[in-house]
Amino acid sequence: MKILKTQTLRGPNYWSIKRQKLIQMRLDLEDVAEKPSNLITGFYEGLVKILPSLVEHFCSRDHRGGFLERVQEGTYMGHIIEHIALELQELAGMPVGFGRTRETATEGVYNVVFEYIYEEAGRYAGRAAVRLCNSIIVNGSYSPEELAQDLADLRDLRANSALGPSTETIIKEAEAKKIPWMLLSARAMVQLGYGVNQQRIQATLSNKTSILGVELACDKEGTKTILAEAGIPVPRGTVIYYLDELADAIAEVGGYPIVLKPLDGNHGRGITIDINSQHEAEEAYDLASAASKTRSVIVERYYKGHDHRILVINGKLVAVSERIPARVIGDGYSTIEDLIEQTNQDPNRGDGHDNILTKISVDKTSLGVLKRQGYEMDTILKKGEIAYLKATANLSTGGIAIDRTDEIHPQNIWIAERVAKIIGLDIAGIDVVTPDISKPLKEADGVIVEVNAAPGFRMHVSPSEGLPRNVAAPVLDMLFPNNKPSRIPILAVTGTNGKTTTTRLLAHIYRQTGKVVGYTSTDGIYLGDYMVEKGDNTGPLSAGVILRDPTVEVAVLECARGGILRSGLAFESCDIGVVLNVAADHLGLGDINSIEQMAKVKGVIAESVNADGYAVLNADDPLVAQMAQNVKGKVAYFSMSKDNPLIVDHLRRNGMAAIYENGYLSIFEGEWTLRIEKAENIPITMKAMAPFMIANALAACLAAFVHGTDIELIRQGVRTFNPGANQTPGRMNLFDMKDFSVLIDYAHNPAGYQAVGEFVKNWSGDRLGVIGGPGDRRDEDLMLLGKIAAGIFDHIIIKEDQDNRGRDRGSVAELIVKGILAENSQASYDVILDETEATEKGLEKVNKNGLVVIFPESVTKSIELIQKYQSI
């Protein structure tokens, strides 16, 4: 039993699963159902002993214990591993529940898909599940110590992967508002929205946060000076740099009690409060100096009162919390050490920020705080007696928070909002010490002791007492005011053939609108007029480049089979989903063994169209037309015939369609008709001699039209889009030589050959083909290429790709020759395996006024070779 591969799916896959975070494992397994009954019984007993919580899994039985019933009856091991991987994550504090297991065409090999929250933890859980099952089969058990270690490792992975409570709060609110987000690869930044409409956050810093405001907030003395000059009540204080300045500073602030803290500290580190003697002051100085990057220490008068955090977002107060330092409350018989241990057993307390509250830790500072109160760790507190363990009230050191939002005095609200604007922070955490927040600060002898950039949200979202406050909503309202869009139009294109041409034409049409268009295709990633990256870029990673770019206003994304199966989609939904066709290509790869299965893969694009969008489907392809059943949005069809029964019925229902009729590309809606242009005037149709190019143009025009593009701009787009080597390399590139012509097309499957053949058959002169096929196709597919070529060309030259994808040299050509001879035993052909030599031979052999058609492995090299011959 072994893992053959694992991969991450971040979008819908060919089961049409609408989840964004899935792990796919490919497992080579033995089937439990084929084992003797005593092994099934033993495995069941071992499984229940190790993970009794599996009894909660319903599985397909829709009742508690349903999964274990399946195990008792006998089920395949991939199914068991799926449930164990989910349960291990659940036990480690990551609630997940979705999984699917399917048998592949290879006996004993399964695809297992299960949900994760954090990718590394999900992968670990999958491997641990395989180890656990192996141990039970081989040894009859899985050691509790090993299970405990797996869970500990998973918890560590969860802690290391978590974005932090404040970031998680904002992301959850973004999801509730249907704002897409993605984690960027640097500095824990998160992008909210797509393209030109994106915003960015880093914890509770936003791209609107002023760097000057952050710098000023980090300068505690500078902050106090600015606020004091504005008439804001702040503590009397001064800054010192050496210990021998301490006595004078204490006198300057009015004597004891005082507070010492680092000038540039954070999270309450190095702060000592309520200091009442020179000895305490000197110890506190050492602590503060060590916590300061500049060794600078603030000496302030100590103000008695309660510690409050006021949160101001976009100039408005949104929440107030009273913060109480870490403490324990006596029961009359337990020591302080025992009480700390009991307090830390609270399930709401965790390590760091991974829970609502943080566990209380004891350090030198804690012992000092206890000592000033007259306590030791072995002191037994009276019932109700309180012992504080920290000098500050930070939640990160074990403190608790009580919501006081409804109690703050209006004048204090005014002061807090004014402070945030004076410092220049869009999101500000203002620390206030006052005996009573419901009274004006000056009346209660309260002061503002600090202003914080990037304040934590945990105390407001999950207070220990009081109402939770939705503090993330004001952040998103600030970033996306007045329902400002967070998305950009996404137009996704898929199909077996014609994807790149349609994608490029659609992008060209949108460029007529003056907007910045980003698009991906099999030849590169493009932003406006420029190529970002060359090569096959039809997967979600390439699409992510477009969606992350802050200049892009429209995204046109070619989505190929491989990317969908390997990693899903880069987006959760699209505005327009175009499905051109489904043909027999890449069958036998990725467990896609039939054209019907391939249709399910392509259908993911149609299913991803949002409720307000359009799926643009080929009415002439039954497998594509059937996809309409699973579309959540609206459906528009394109067809080469107005008499297509589906088109007739669709128009009768006042549906939208693009149709090739009377030589025109036209838009129909019910009985209404709008002609776009004559096909012969649209360059990519090769003067209307290439029917499949007409179909591509219909799809692009319809996609642009249903998305609201002006018809004149569509006309302008199709008229000016030239299928030359510059705009569509390898897609029906026709070159005029001295005495003949050359056509280069990247067709590499039977449907592509047939489509090009429809054009070639219209050629009046000699027709010569330089053909080949990818080595990873099935034997029957390669033979079919030969059969089709025999019906198109007068002479054929068979070559092979330099990368034969695992086949022996010459074996692909042999299969193609078999197909040629099966179609025409008298066919004229040569076998020249090297692509360059085969092309040169074709250029020499073609007759005057003839046509050489080249199906290349390397489009770039073939175009360069032809252009070289043109210049001779």
Side-chain angles (χ1 to χ4, degrees):
M1 184 161 54
K2 60 184 179 179
I3 301 176
L4 299 180
K5 67 177 181 178
T6 63
Q7 62 193 49
T8 305
L9 306 174
R10 288 189 176 85
N13 59 30
Y14 63 91
W15 289 303
S16 305
I17 301 167
K18 288 298 294 180
R19 301 272 178 144
Q20 278 201 293
K21 293 184 174 182
L22 302 171
I23 294 285
Q24 178 171 313
M25 301 168 60
R26 187 171 167 85
L27 303 170
D28 188 356
L29 305 167
E30 294 181 346
D31 196 327
V32 177
E34 297 172 357
K35 295 291 183 181
S37 59
N38 62 334
L39 178 57
I40 296 175
T41 302
F43 186 89
Y44 171 83
E45 291 173 351
L47 193 59
V48 173
K49 182 178 179 181
I50 294 295
L51 289 173
S53 50
L54 285 171
V55 73
E56 301 296 333
H57 289 216
F58 282 36
C59 198
S60 57
R61 298 291 170 87
D62 292 328
H63 63 263
R64 185 174 179 272
F67 167 66
L68 291 179
E69 288 178 4
R70 295 279 305 275
V71 177
Q72 280 184 302
E73 295 166 1
T75 186
Y76 39 89
M77 189 65 78
H79 180 215
I80 295 170
I81 285 172
E82 167 206 323
H83 279 266
I84 294 174
L86 291 172
E87 185 59 24
L88 289 174
Q89 293 181 82
E90 185 82 30
L91 292 172
M94 293 168 284
V96 290
F98 182 86
R100 289 288 187 274
T101 301
R102 295 291 184 269
E103 190 174 8
T104 69
T106 304
E107 186 177 358
V109 176
Y110 299 88
N111 275 327
V112 181
V113 172
F114 57 87
E115 187 182 2
Y116 68 89
I117 294 177
Y118 304 115
E119 182 178 336
E120 289 304 314
R123 291 181 183 275
Y124 185 102
R127 292 191 294 269
V130 172
R131 286 201 314 273
L132 188 150
C133 288
N134 264 325
S135 292
I136 295 176
I137 291 172
V138 175
N139 305 317
S141 65
Y142 190 70
S143 74
E145 293 79 13
E146 192 169 359
L147 178 61
Q149 185 61 56
D150 282 336
L151 294 177
D153 290 344
L154 283 168
R155 292 187 186 101
D156 287 343
L157 288 169
R158 180 195 67 186
N160 294 333
S161 302
L163 295 172
S166 299
T167 307
E168 292 279 6
T169 297
I170 295 173
I171 286 174
K172 285 180 181 177
E173 182 64 20
E175 290 175 342
K177 292 180 178 291
K178 301 191 182 305
I179 296 172
W181 65 274
M182 60 181 75
L183 184 64
L184 301 181
S185 55
R187 303 188 65 82
M189 288 192 295
V190 175
Q191 177 179 315
L192 302 169
Y194 292 143
V196 72
N197 291 325
Q198 69 178 267
Q199 303 290 342
R200 292 179 183 176
I201 61 169
Q202 183 189 60
T204 59
L205 292 173
S206 80
N207 51 275
K208 296 182 181 296
T209 302
S210 163
I211 184 63
L212 293 179
V214 173
E215 292 289 334
L216 182 54
C218 291
D219 180 357
K220 301 185 190 308
E221 190 64 16
T223 294
K224 191 168 64 175
T225 301
I226 290 285
L227 294 180
E229 290 175 350
I232 304 295
V234 295
R236 290 177 59 187
T238 187
V239 179
I240 62 174
Y241 305 94
Y242 303 100
L243 180 60
D244 57 12
E245 298 175 314
L246 182 58
D248 290 341
I250 293 172
E252 184 180 335
V253 301
Y256 299 108
I258 61 169
V259 174
L260 265 68
K261 57 186 177 182
L263 177 66
D264 50 5
N266 54 39
H267 298 297
R269 298 185 185 96
I271 297 177
T272 307
I273 66 172
D274 198 12
I275 300 168
N276 289 283
S277 70
Q278 182 69 22
H279 177 69
E280 288 180 4
E282 290 177 0
E283 286 189 342
Y285 173 85
D286 291 338
L287 192 65
S289 178
S292 172
K293 296 176 184 177
T294 60
R295 300 296 181 184
S296 306
V297 176
I298 296 175
V299 182
E300 286 181 348
R301 176 191 164 196
Y302 175 63
Y303 289 80
K304 293 187 181 295
H306 304 295
D307 186 313
H308 297 80
R309 166 63 62 83
I310 300 175
L311 181 63
V312 177
I313 298 174
N314 199 26
K316 296 295 182 183
L317 184 145
V318 298
V320 181
S321 284
E322 179 186 347
R323 300 185 298 175
I324 298 174
R327 64 181 183 177
V328 291
I329 302 173
D331 57 12
Y333 53 86
S334 299
T335 65
I336 290 177
E337 185 173 9
D338 292 336
L339 292 170
I340 292 171
E341 186 175 345
Q342 293 169 24
T343 301
N344 284 339
Q345 296 303 312
D346 183 346
N348 289 324
R349 289 189 182 270
D351 296 318
H353 294 284
D354 66 355
N355 213 329
I356 296 172
L357 298 173
T358 300
K359 289 182 178 179
I360 300 171
S361 61
V362 177
D363 53 21
K364 184 179 178 181
T365 303
S366 305
L367 297 176
V369 172
L370 284 174
K371 187 176 181 180
R372 284 197 296 273
Q373 298 170 81
Y375 302 135
E376 302 288 344
M377 287 292 286
D378 58 0
T379 300
I380 297 176
L381 298 177
K382 297 176 184 177
K383 188 169 184 178
E385 188 177 3
I386 296 175
Y388 291 96
L389 293 130
K390 301 292 180 182
T392 60
N394 296 68
L395 267 65
S396 59
T397 59
I400 64 173
I402 301 172
D403 180 68
R404 302 291 188 195
T405 307
D406 296 330
E407 300 172 30
I408 186 170
H409 192 277
Q411 188 176 105
N412 295 342
I413 296 175
W414 171 74
I415 290 174
E417 292 175 349
R418 185 166 171 246
V419 165
K421 292 175 183 176
I422 291 169
I423 301 302
L425 290 174
D426 58 338
I427 304 173
I430 302 167
D431 292 341
V432 176
V433 173
T434 180
D436 190 348
I437 196 69
S438 67
K439 294 179 179 178
L441 289 184
K442 292 185 178 180
E443 179 182 318
D445 195 28
V447 288
I448 291 177
V449 296
E450 199 170 316
V451 179
N452 298 274
F457 283 180
R458 183 166 55 147
M459 70 187 78
H460 307 296
V461 175
S462 302
S464 308
E465 298 178 25
L467 290 175
R469 303 289 172 171
N470 183 359
V471 296
V475 174
L476 293 171
D477 290 341
M478 174 185 70
L479 297 176
F480 302 98
N482 303 316
N483 295 317
K484 177 186 174 183
S486 61
R487 299 174 181 265
I488 58 174
I490 297 176
L491 297 92
V493 180
T494 194
T496 302
N497 294 303
K499 298 185 296 296
T500 298
T501 299
T502 305
T503 297
R504 281 179 161 273
L505 175 56
L506 193 50
H508 182 75
I509 290 172
Y510 267 90
R511 288 176 63 185
Q512 313 307 305
T513 67
K515 294 182 178 179
V516 176
V517 181
Y519 68 93
T520 60
S521 70
T522 51
D523 59 279
I525 302 172
Y526 294 84
L527 291 173
D529 296 328
Y530 300 99
M531 176 186 283
V532 176
E533 185 174 331
K534 190 174 184 180
D536 189 345
N537 288 277
T538 56
L541 293 180
S542 304
V545 174
I546 299 299
L547 299 178
R548 285 192 299 270
D549 193 278
T551 67
V552 173
E553 296 174 279
V554 178
V556 183
L557 307 174
E558 180 178 341
C559 302
R561 166 209 63 88
I564 296 173
L565 288 175
R566 185 171 57 253
S567 301
L569 302 175
F571 49 86
E572 184 180 343
S573 65
C574 57
D575 300 273
I576 304 294
V578 180
V579 186
L580 298 170
N581 44 61
V582 180
D585 190 23
H586 296 95
L587 296 183
L589 301 177
D591 298 312
I592 303 302
N593 300 300
S594 69
I595 193 170
E596 289 76 19
Q597 289 177 325
M598 184 65 75
K600 289 185 178 181
V601 179
K602 305 293 185 181
V604 166
I605 295 300
E607 293 173 34
S608 298
V609 172
N610 60 48
D612 297 323
Y614 270 92
V616 174
L617 306 179
N618 186 349
D620 299 334
D621 187 323
L623 289 173
V624 176
Q626 287 175 12
M627 296 176 189
Q629 300 171 8
N630 297 319
V631 173
K632 295 187 294 294
K634 292 163 277 189
V635 175
Y637 293 105
F638 64 94
S639 175
M640 294 293 288
S641 171
K642 191 178 179 181
D643 296 327
N644 182 313
L646 179 59
I647 291 292
V648 172
D649 183 67
H650 187 63
L651 295 180
R652 183 177 61 80
R653 300 171 185 271
N654 293 315
M656 185 85 69
I659 304 171
Y660 180 50
E661 50 85 33
N662 295 319
Y664 281 88
L665 277 70
S666 301
I667 301 289
F668 286 76
E669 185 173 13
E671 297 180 356
W672 171 82
T673 305
L674 178 63
R675 282 182 167 171
I676 301 171
E677 182 57 272
K678 271 192 171 184
E680 63 187 33
N681 296 332
I682 298 175
I684 69 164
T685 70
M686 315 293 283
K687 296 183 180 179
M689 290 193 297
F692 74 100
M693 283 296 196
I694 296 175
N696 292 340
L698 284 170
C701 291
L702 182 57
F705 186 81
V706 296
H707 196 249
T709 305
D710 183 85
I711 190 66
E712 286 301 325
L713 297 179
I714 296 175
R715 288 190 179 113
Q716 182 178 320
V718 295
R719 288 168 181 163
T720 58
F721 184 74
N722 195 316
N726 291 329
Q727 282 196 310
T728 56
R731 270 73 187 177
M732 294 295 286
N733 303 148
L734 189 62
F735 298 85
D736 291 325
M737 313 300 278
K738 184 176 180 181
D739 295 318
F740 59 91
S741 297
V742 176
L743 179 71
I744 294 179
D745 193 271
Y746 188 59
H748 52 275
N749 57 55
Y753 271 42
Q754 288 172 335
V756 173
E758 291 176 356
F759 168 77
V760 175
K761 288 175 182 178
N762 291 323
W763 197 266
S764 57
D766 185 30
R767 302 187 297 259
L768 187 150
V770 180
I771 73 169
D776 59 357
R777 300 311 194 264
R778 300 176 304 177
D779 290 359
E780 57 264 39
D781 295 330
L782 295 171
M783 292 176 64
L784 182 56
L785 294 180
K787 289 181 180 180
I788 295 169
I792 299 173
F793 300 111
D794 301 313
H795 183 78
I796 303 168
I797 300 175
I798 302 100
K799 51 85 179 180
E800 283 191 347
D801 293 350
Q802 188 170 357
D803 177 7
N804 241 16
R805 307 188 188 187
R807 286 187 184 264
D808 293 335
R809 192 70 171 161
S811 59
V812 169
E814 288 179 7
L815 290 167
I816 291 175
V817 169
K818 282 184 180 180
I820 292 171
L821 297 178
E823 180 69 16
N824 179 6
S825 61
Q826 303 300 313
S828 173
Y829 70 90
D830 293 309
V831 176
I832 303 175
L833 298 184
D834 182 78
E835 183 165 286
T836 300
E837 292 180 17
T839 300
E840 290 175 339
K841 179 69 173 179
L843 299 177
E844 294 170 3
K845 190 175 181 66
V846 67
N847 295 322
K848 188 175 181 179
N849 298 323
L851 174 68
V852 177
V853 179
I854 304 168
F855 297 123
E857 175 190 21
S858 173
V859 170
T860 302
K861 288 182 180 178
S862 292
I863 290 174
E864 289 174 352
L865 180 62
I866 299 306
Q867 290 174 336
K868 176 184 174 182
Y869 268 75
Q870 274 185 318
S871 64
I872 296 175

